[in-house]
Amino acid sequence: LPAFTAFRMNFLNSVKAKYFGASSTTPLEKAIDAATVDNQHQQPDWAKNLQVCDMIESRYDGDISASNATKRIQKHLKSRDPHVIVLALTLLETTVKNCSFPTILSIGTKSFLTTLKDLCRGNKGPQIQQQALDLVQKLGIADVYKSTVPQFFEIFEELVREGAVFPELDTKGVPLFLPSRSDSTKSDASGSIK
């Protein structure tokens, strides 16, 4: 009888999801929420941000982890709470710096870039605008993305044409594109890549 009850509950949940939308939150989505919406301190929690990156990279939600993560981050970029948006932008930059190409491609979708471009126009306040402009600039000038994800360069150029004032580039910070772990093992003792 317990097996039948479990079967019936799974069936009812699948029907509910089909007709009313899935209401259950995945562990990856919960981790993204913990790093943004549920963050009580309103400061980036680097452990939570890196946990999200690890979950994306380990394909916690299967092959759609990157897509699920960027959709959830995009949802938080549309928040009415400026603190949530700032934390979502920080999480977004963390994923760009720490996740592989499927995540970058998910960020390069028209829908996601439209959300990012809207933040660059300053409707949510100057701090959010500057943080969004900084990220768009980094993505737009990164040589590695010019041929692989030209949408980043296109949105950057569009904002330049519109007269956006970008923040000064931080050349001392961590670059957006880091060599893969396999590339770093090919360096010799002097640090130069073979």
Side-chain angles (χ1 to χ4, degrees), residues 41-111:
H41 306 292
Q42 299 180 349
Q43 295 293 321
D45 184 329
W46 298 109
K48 289 179 182 176
N49 286 358
L50 292 174
Q51 177 189 16
V52 168
C53 295
D54 288 344
M55 291 175 82
I56 293 169
E57 288 303 291
S58 66
R59 295 185 174 164
Y60 208 83
D61 281 358
D63 288 339
I64 58 171
S65 291
S67 176
N68 286 352
T70 53
K71 286 176 185 173
R72 192 64 163 204
I73 293 170
Q74 181 179 10
K75 175 185 174 184
H76 297 316
L77 290 174
K78 294 178 178 181
S79 173
R80 293 182 182 190
D81 184 345
H83 298 293
V84 170
I85 298 170
V86 168
L87 292 170
L89 282 168
T90 302
L91 177 59
L92 175 61
E93 185 168 349
T94 305
T95 60
V96 168
K97 289 179 178 179
N98 292 282
C99 293
S100 57
F101 201 63
T103 305
I104 304 302
L105 287 176
S106 293
I107 294 166
T109 63
K110 183 177 181 176
S111 171

Side-chain angles (χ1 to χ4, degrees), residues 3-168:
F4 176 74
T5 304
F7 171 77
R8 191 174 83 177
M9 289 305 295
N10 286 337
F11 173 76
L12 292 174
N13 284 336
S14 67
V15 169
K16 179 181 170 188
K18 181 177 179 181
Y19 292 102
F20 301 108
S23 62
S24 62
T25 305
T26 68
L28 176 58
E29 291 170 330
K30 288 178 184 176
I32 291 168
D33 291 350
T36 55
V37 178
D38 300 336
N39 185 325
Q40 302 293 326
H41 306 292
Q42 299 180 349
Q43 295 293 321
D45 184 329
W46 298 109
K48 289 179 182 176
N49 286 358
L50 292 174
Q51 177 189 16
V52 168
C53 295
D54 288 344
M55 291 175 82
I56 293 169
E57 288 303 291
S58 66
R59 295 185 174 164
Y60 208 83
D61 281 358
D63 288 339
I64 58 171
S65 291
S67 176
N68 286 352
T70 53
K71 286 176 185 173
R72 192 64 163 204
I73 293 170
Q74 181 179 10
K75 175 185 174 184
H76 297 316
L77 290 174
K78 294 178 178 181
S79 173
R80 293 182 182 190
D81 184 345
H83 298 293
V84 170
I85 298 170
V86 168
L87 292 170
L89 282 168
T90 302
L91 177 59
L92 175 61
E93 185 168 349
T94 305
T95 60
V96 168
K97 289 179 178 179
N98 292 282
C99 293
S100 57
F101 201 63
T103 305
I104 304 302
L105 287 176
S106 293
I107 294 166
T109 63
K110 183 177 181 176
S111 171
F112 196 95
L113 290 177
T114 298
T115 300
L116 200 53
K117 187 170 46 173
D118 290 344
L119 295 175
C120 288
R121 294 203 167 112
N123 298 336
K124 300 284 185 166
Q127 178 188 5
I128 292 168
Q129 180 183 27
Q130 288 303 298
Q131 192 174 354
L133 284 168
D134 181 58
L135 182 58
V136 166
Q137 180 180 32
K138 288 174 183 175
L139 290 168
I141 65 172
D143 288 333
V144 70
Y145 299 137
K146 284 186 180 173
S147 62
T148 56
V149 191
Q151 305 89 302
F152 293 151
F153 182 72
E154 292 165 7
I155 189 175
F156 173 67
E157 285 292 309
E158 181 180 339
L159 289 166
V160 167
R161 283 191 304 275
E162 290 177 6
V165 179
F166 289 88
E168 187 174 327

